[in-house]
Amino acid sequence: MNPLWGKVGIGVLAISMIAGCSSEVADQKKGETAKAKEKLKFSMSVTTSGNKYAEKSADVNKEKWVMKLEELSNTDLDFKMIPLKDFDAKMSLMFASNEIPDVVQNVGGATTKGMSGSVEAGVFMPLDDLLKEYAPNIMKAVPKEAWQETSYNGKVYGIPSWLSNPSRRATFIRSDLLAQTGLAAPKTVDEFLNVMRAFKKLGVENPYQLRENFKYADTILGSFDVLPSQFEVQGEQVVPKFFDVENMTKALQSYKTMFDEGLIPKDFASISSTDYGKNIESGKSGMWSANAQGLSNYRNKIKTAVPAAKVDIIPSPRGPENQGGHLLYSSINTSYYINSKVSKEKAIQIIRFFEWMTTPEAERYFSFGIEGDTYTMENNQVKFTPPTKPEDIDEDGFRGMFWFVHDAKYNKAKEELTPEGRDMMQALDTIVSKEGLGSVRFVPALETFSRYPDIAPQGDDVGPKLIIDHMIKMIYGKEQIADWPKVIEEYKNKGGNEMIKEATERYKKGNGVIVSTNRS
């Protein structure tokens, strides 16, 4: 054989092999590109968050805001909405029926009541490796406390929407009414009562807007640092804060004074979240508690009913130990779990969907909506007019509901555009961040909570049913406040001693314990 032909043959073969490899690589890249262009289709359960627009929608999946989200994120989403007021019950039914979507949103962490033990039962997949590889921005931004709350047995199961500042709730006041009284903003419990009395003389229907279970209306309990859902260390034990008999009785007496003098609604024990909001927005309330982020909404909605109304956030009244404010939130707002039956390939794409929410594109959409529809661009600056009509405010909030993964402290891009937003951020950073009551918390929850539901906290911000029932009876005058020590003994006898024992043991071992301290 001619050596030259041999060399040529080898060269041709090599070129053919290279061409073949190049063709395979090109085909592979084409396949990956085509796959990348395929829409990610998955189902997801989501709470309505109490948003009126969401709860009135016949099918949220056909709303333009959801369809735009699908376009931006290249997804085909199937949302199953769960009303906030029925959230825990509906979640429990969903798990019992075993009709679980690809992704489940929870209000809280991996082992809270809404999850019904599903993480422990293996319903969802651990996400540590997928997050490290496919969600670097999320991994960098989320604080360690938030990961702790979405983990179980050392593995991360949930992707959190986190809070860089867990002090959220604030005391709101109708400052136009305060000006009419000639009084200064109250700083102590006694001054708080006097302002309410002055509001009553002005004809204000509810000088302070209380709500069932003292939810979002626990200002006085906070002043005395006896929030009934919280635990603290007393001596050698971890016990509920309502074990502080002296301060608990003072708080109850303050509430009873408010009730007897008509400073709170007579039917406060049965006022739902809906009626609570209606009373405030219609101008019937002088002071109330709420998330500080709601300042702009309250100002706009109340002005619809009372054009001269002015609403501000003030420091919460301080009690005898100079404590005040409301509970410090956990480090997470909501969290997201991927069904263990989902394929790894699909799970990766879902992780990337959540990672997309940390991008400027996502921030602009969830903050301002659609260019040319709800905002315009001028000189590379967003021109956005925040809605003022109640129904438009609800629709704007509806779009923001789907910004699942981000720092939920506040939406700086949006809030800094308006005086109300700037006021809110200033109040959060200068007032609310300096108050708030810490607690000893357990993740996962104490096992005794499930064994003794009547004496376990009904939520992070709602005390045990047994305790709330006695509080209401004492405020209505059906029981004596002086008998509070008997309530504590009843609590102990109905399982409280076991609860305290478990809490103390876990605290001493540092087993799933999160401790936050009071702010001042």
Side-chain angles (χ1 to χ4, degrees):
M1 181 184 215
N2 189 324
L4 178 61
W5 280 108
K7 290 179 180 178
V8 171
I10 293 171
V12 171
L13 178 60
I15 291 170
S16 299
M17 290 177 66
I18 291 170
C21 290
S22 298
S23 177
E24 288 178 12
V25 170
D27 288 344
Q28 184 178 348
K29 286 184 177 179
K30 285 181 181 178
E32 290 177 353
T33 302
K35 184 167 270 187
K37 290 182 179 179
E38 290 179 9
K39 284 193 172 184
L40 166 65
K41 185 175 183 178
F42 68 95
S43 58
M44 181 176 179
S45 60
V46 181
T47 174
T48 61
S49 299
N51 181 278
K52 294 177 183 177
Y53 188 93
E55 293 180 345
K56 289 179 181 178
S57 176
D59 184 358
V60 297
N61 294 294
K62 294 180 180 179
E63 297 288 346
K64 72 174 184 179
W65 303 114
V66 172
M67 291 190 286
K68 185 63 177 179
L69 171 58
E70 291 176 323
E71 175 189 330
L72 293 170
S73 60
N74 194 35
T75 54
D76 181 359
L77 302 167
D78 179 16
F79 286 121
K80 304 176 187 301
M81 304 303 292
I82 301 177
L84 182 61
K85 63 183 180 67
D86 303 321
F87 185 75
D88 285 345
K90 294 289 186 182
M91 287 278 280
S92 180
L93 287 173
M94 180 182 73
F95 289 121
S97 68
N98 203 32
E99 295 180 358
I100 304 167
D102 297 324
V103 179
V104 170
Q105 180 196 55
N106 184 42
V107 179
T111 56
T112 55
K113 184 178 179 181
M115 295 300 281
S116 301
S118 56
V119 170
E120 296 93 319
V123 174
F124 300 101
M125 65 174 64
L127 303 176
D128 304 71
D129 294 339
L130 296 181
L131 287 167
K132 289 175 183 176
E133 186 168 356
Y134 301 103
N137 291 327
I138 291 175
M139 291 299 294
K140 181 180 179 180
V142 175
K144 63 178 182 179
E145 293 83 3
W147 288 127
Q148 186 176 2
E149 295 199 44
T150 57
S151 297
Y152 175 69
N153 274 352
K155 292 285 187 180
V156 173
Y157 285 85
I159 304 171
S161 174
W162 68 95
L163 290 170
S164 58
N165 176 11
S167 186
R168 313 296 300 158
R169 296 185 181 180
T171 299
F172 286 72
I173 193 167
R174 282 278 304 278
S175 46
D176 58 311
L177 298 175
L178 182 66
Q180 292 181 46
T181 68
L183 297 174
K187 295 181 179 179
T188 66
V189 173
D190 287 340
E191 291 174 358
F192 191 69
L193 292 170
N194 285 333
V195 168
M196 283 188 281
R197 291 176 178 123
F199 282 175
K200 186 72 175 177
K201 290 180 181 179
L202 291 177
V204 178
E205 185 172 329
N206 300 317
Y208 180 70
Q209 184 61 57
L210 204 58
R211 173 178 159 184
E212 62 182 350
N213 292 326
F214 301 89
K215 189 177 176 72
Y216 276 102
D218 49 12
T219 307
I220 294 297
L221 291 167
S223 298
F224 291 97
D225 195 13
V226 287
L227 296 176
S229 61
Q230 293 190 320
F231 284 75
E232 65 181 357
V233 178
Q234 289 186 12
E236 296 295 317
Q237 292 184 314
V238 174
V239 300
K241 286 189 175 182
F242 58 76
F243 270 41
D244 183 346
V245 175
E246 180 181 359
N247 282 309
M248 190 67 191
T249 54
K250 288 179 180 178
L252 288 168
Q253 186 56 60
S254 297
Y255 278 121
K256 182 163 176 34
T257 298
M258 292 160 67
F259 177 79
D260 291 343
E261 296 185 19
L263 307 179
I264 55 177
K266 292 295 183 183
D267 59 344
F268 74 88
S270 59
I271 292 179
S272 66
S273 60
T274 300
D275 290 336
Y276 180 79
K278 284 181 179 178
N279 287 345
I280 295 169
E281 292 166 14
S282 63
K284 295 180 180 180
S285 308
M287 288 187 284
W288 63 93
S289 298
N291 193 312
Q293 279 186 298
L295 178 62
S296 179
N297 284 353
Y298 280 123
R299 283 182 175 178
N300 291 326
K301 289 185 175 182
I302 294 173
K303 279 186 178 180
T304 300
V306 185
K310 293 182 179 180
V311 178
D312 286 298
I313 290 172
I314 59 173
S316 299
R318 299 276 172 160
E321 297 176 0
N322 197 33
Q323 302 296 341
H326 307 80
L327 83 163
L328 293 179
Y329 278 35
S330 73
S331 295
I332 65 172
N333 185 10
T334 52
S335 51
Y336 305 87
Y337 302 82
I338 301 178
N339 195 318
S340 59
K341 295 180 180 179
V342 169
S343 69
K344 181 179 179 181
E345 184 179 68
K346 189 173 183 177
I348 289 171
Q349 294 304 312
I350 291 172
I351 294 288
R352 285 174 168 163
F353 167 75
F354 287 122
E355 175 78 349
W356 170 78
M357 294 196 169
T358 66
T359 65
E361 179 186 43
E363 180 183 31
R364 179 170 294 181
Y365 172 66
F366 292 117
S367 301
F368 307 117
I370 301 172
E371 185 176 358
D373 180 358
T374 51
Y375 76 94
T376 58
M377 295 297 296
E378 295 181 19
N379 299 321
N380 206 33
Q381 296 292 319
V382 171
K383 296 297 180 183
F384 174 77
T385 302
T388 55
K389 294 181 179 179
E391 59 271 22
D392 294 337
I393 293 171
D394 291 332
E395 184 175 355
D396 189 64
F398 171 79
R399 183 182 66 254
M401 281 171 42
F402 300 98
W403 195 4
F404 299 125
V405 177
H406 68 117
D407 184 355
K409 176 184 176 181
Y410 49 60
N411 187 333
K412 185 177 180 180
K414 188 174 184 177
E415 300 295 352
E416 64 185 3
L417 297 179
T418 65
E420 290 80 11
R422 292 191 291 272
D423 286 350
M424 181 275 293
M425 290 191 293
Q426 183 180 20
L428 257 173
D429 292 340
T430 64
I431 297 175
V432 182
S433 64
K434 295 179 180 178
E435 60 185 35
L437 305 166
S439 179
V440 178
R441 299 173 53 242
F442 301 94
V443 180
L446 299 176
E447 292 181 3
T448 42
F449 282 2
S450 59
R451 293 209 301 270
Y452 303 105
D454 283 350
I455 64 164
Q458 299 176 67
D460 285 344
D461 61 347
V462 179
K465 183 180 184 304
L466 172 74
I467 300 303
I468 295 295
D469 287 348
H470 279 294
M471 289 170 62
I472 291 170
K473 290 175 182 177
M474 289 178 178
I475 293 170
Y476 276 114
K478 295 180 180 179
E479 292 181 0
Q480 296 298 312
I481 294 175
D483 287 338
W484 191 254
K486 295 180 181 178
V487 175
I488 294 176
E489 289 305 310
E490 182 182 359
Y491 166 87
K492 289 180 178 179
N493 294 332
K494 289 186 174 180
N497 282 329
E498 292 182 47
M499 200 169 287
I500 292 168
K501 181 181 178 182
E502 183 189 1
T504 302
E505 288 176 352
R506 279 187 55 177
Y507 174 78
K508 289 180 177 179
K509 292 177 180 178
N511 179 15
V513 180
I514 299 175
V515 180
S516 54
T517 57
N518 292 355
R519 297 192 171 188
S520 59

